[in-house]
Amino acid sequence: MLDVGKWPVFALLPPEELKLIRQACVFGSAANEALYVTVNDEVFALGTNCSGCLGLGDLQSTIEPRRIDVLCGKKIVSLSYGTGPHVAIATADGEVFSWGHNGYSQLGNGTTNHGLTPALVSTNLLGKRVIEVACGSHHTIALTTDGEVFAWGYNNSGQVGSGSTANQPTPRRVSSCLQNKVVVNIACGQLCSMAVLDSGEIYGWGYNCNGQLGLGNNGNQQTPCRIAALQGVNVIQVACGYAHTIALTDEGFVYSWGANSYGQLGTGNKCNQAVPTLINTEKERMAEVAACHTSHTSAAKTQSGQVLMWGQCRGQAVASPHHTHFSSTDDVFACFATPAVTWHLLSIDAEDYMTVAQSLKKEFDSPEISDLKFLVDGKCIHVHKALLKIRCEHFRSLLNESDEECIEVSQFSYLVYRAFLEYLYTDTINLPPEDAIGLLDLATFYREMRLKRLCQETIKRGISEENAIALLCAAVKYEARDLEDFCFKFCVNHLTAVTQTHAFADMDHELLKNFISKASRYGAFKN
């Protein structure tokens, strides 16, 4: 569980106030400014208020939290800050607000007047729903639900992607070779911008003197340029440090490039890299990468929850990924980054107060007040009839016709059936991807469509060259169309490796025929 108290700026807040925080962001040249959202969706700010970045309407610093009335109830979904400094947010309604320093039009309002309160950024964004914002030192980019990127602000190195180096006073669509492409993730270094496409391709533009665009050279780019060295690799997330970039692939590999004087690339040395370099993570599959344009620190989290860090860690240069005792990448930035700011908008779970969902989760498989048990593979699982009737149509009819206190199940394994029952209590799946196929079978059998979707997402996260064909076959068998499409694309994108696996050799003849036919139409066999 994330502890917002790890950030010193929150040290003076009383414990009862800390417990109400649901989201938080720490920023500023000395990590001495913060915004936070409470459980009641009220927004507060505290700190030095440099350039009016607290959004309070004045330049007064405050050690006590003050409410930002205009943002209360807005439901913030993304927040980023520039070192200029300025702040930008996206709301659940898809609106963008910005405030702070504006000497280079980084607020996107067409002027260079500083903004002391959050103001709606509307030019060219009306009718667009923004889901993510990212700030460089003095520029801002935004991603819409349509996969379009808009950019504005300082453009001395082409970081706005407009094809020139003239500053951009209002949001402008970044098109060029991103035209007709769908972007799913964005990030900014100090003077550069990065975008990941739904196809797994990655593009960069802006300042490149340290090789942070990964193009194999050190020339600045005024329009988006694809990183050719990652051809055939499916990137799913990108993060930018001050002058370096790290990317995560669909197979859990991490690549890095750019400046490396603090070991922030994790390559074991301090040599800059102008092309993406695979980091040795000791065969551990990564699920998240983290970096922040204010620092030279890098972090990653494995699929099993282990957190690694490298780069500048409290002034020390750590040139290879180092295992920590932390439970989240956020802790790395709270305790080791300089300045100790947040790399993204924090989301915090409540501690003492238990919601209905938390209470139900606590009572799963607890014999104390249960009134029904399932016997699977000789093991008992304790549940509550009322909850099962409420949550599952199958159990509603079954338990209305039966008053048994013990039901034996033989068609599914203990692991799968327990995961199913736990899902009814928690709305989540607690199973490794390879076991989720059995749960997908159960979800299909019980016609639990949401569970079926969750199984598909879990399986997607665990796909690899070795198991891709097996997962594709399972998706076909259980009519999981979305998963089938995902597995098929993965197989085509890793075709050489996949066709050399035992699973491919043992593939059902009819399935194999369909696969080859579809792959051919997809263009997999073109020279």
Side-chain angles (χ1 to χ4, degrees), residues 186-424:
I186 55 173
C188 287
Q190 281 276 302
L191 297 165
C192 71
S193 307
M194 304 296 301
V196 177
L197 304 192
D198 61 347
S199 64
E201 291 181 343
I202 180 167
Y203 286 73
W205 60 97
Y207 188 74
N208 191 35
C209 287
N210 297 287
Q212 54 262 63
L213 299 186
L215 304 174
N217 59 50
N218 295 104
N220 295 346
Q221 294 290 327
Q222 294 175 12
T223 54
C225 193
R226 185 171 67 84
I227 301 179
L230 289 176
Q231 174 77 37
V233 170
N234 269 355
V235 174
I236 57 172
Q237 189 210 340
V238 65
C240 294
Y242 186 92
H244 77 287
T245 309
I246 48 180
L248 175 68
T249 76
D250 62 349
E251 289 200 284
F253 294 120
V254 178
Y255 288 83
S256 64
W257 56 93
N260 197 27
S261 51
Y262 297 94
Q264 60 264 48
L265 299 187
T267 53
N269 58 49
K270 294 183 185 177
C271 302
N272 289 6
Q273 295 287 341
V275 290
T277 305
L278 183 62
I279 298 177
N280 177 16
T281 51
E282 297 172 359
K283 296 187 178 174
E284 290 184 275
R285 190 183 183 116
M286 297 297 143
E288 178 184 77
V289 289
C292 179
H293 74 276
T294 59
S295 69
H296 311 286
T297 307
S298 303
K301 189 174 185 176
T302 70
Q303 202 167 42
S304 62
Q306 179 76 38
V307 174
L308 292 80
M309 69 177 186
W310 61 96
Q312 189 180 36
C313 301
R314 284 219 175 168
Q316 187 176 167
V318 178
S320 297
H322 178 83
H323 283 262
T324 71
H325 62 273
F326 297 135
S327 58
S328 81
T329 53
D330 300 303
D331 293 342
V332 170
F333 290 86
C335 302
F336 280 92
T338 307
V341 298
T342 50
W343 73 273
H344 65 166
L345 182 64
L346 300 174
S347 292
I348 297 121
D349 295 321
E351 280 187 86
D352 287 352
Y353 171 75
M354 285 176 67
T355 62
V356 173
Q358 289 165 333
S359 302
L360 291 177
K361 183 177 181 179
K362 184 168 171 278
E363 290 303 323
F364 172 66
D365 201 16
S366 169
E368 195 178 339
I369 57 168
S370 72
D371 55 2
L372 175 66
K373 62 184 177 184
F374 284 90
L375 193 63
V376 192
D377 295 343
K379 299 174 190 171
C380 281
I381 309 166
H382 298 270
V383 291
H384 305 77
K385 290 179 183 177
L387 184 134
L388 265 54
K389 286 182 186 179
I390 291 168
R391 294 280 289 147
C392 177
E393 200 60 46
H394 166 78
F395 286 127
R396 178 169 293 204
S397 53
L398 175 73
L399 297 174
N400 277 343
E401 296 164 9
S402 162
D403 56 1
E404 292 181 58
E405 292 183 3
C406 182
I407 298 174
E408 194 164 346
V409 174
S410 57
Q411 68 265 51
F412 299 105
S413 70
Y414 171 78
L415 191 70
V416 165
Y417 212 76
R418 180 184 165 83
F420 169 50
L421 294 173
E422 188 173 5
Y423 157 77
L424 296 178

Side-chain angles (χ1 to χ4, degrees), residues 438-449 451-452 455:
L439 190 57
L440 180 63
D441 180 19
L442 182 149
T444 307
F445 181 75
Y446 283 160
R447 296 190 176 135
E448 287 284 334
M449 301 317 291
L451 177 59
K452 194 169 175 177
C455 288

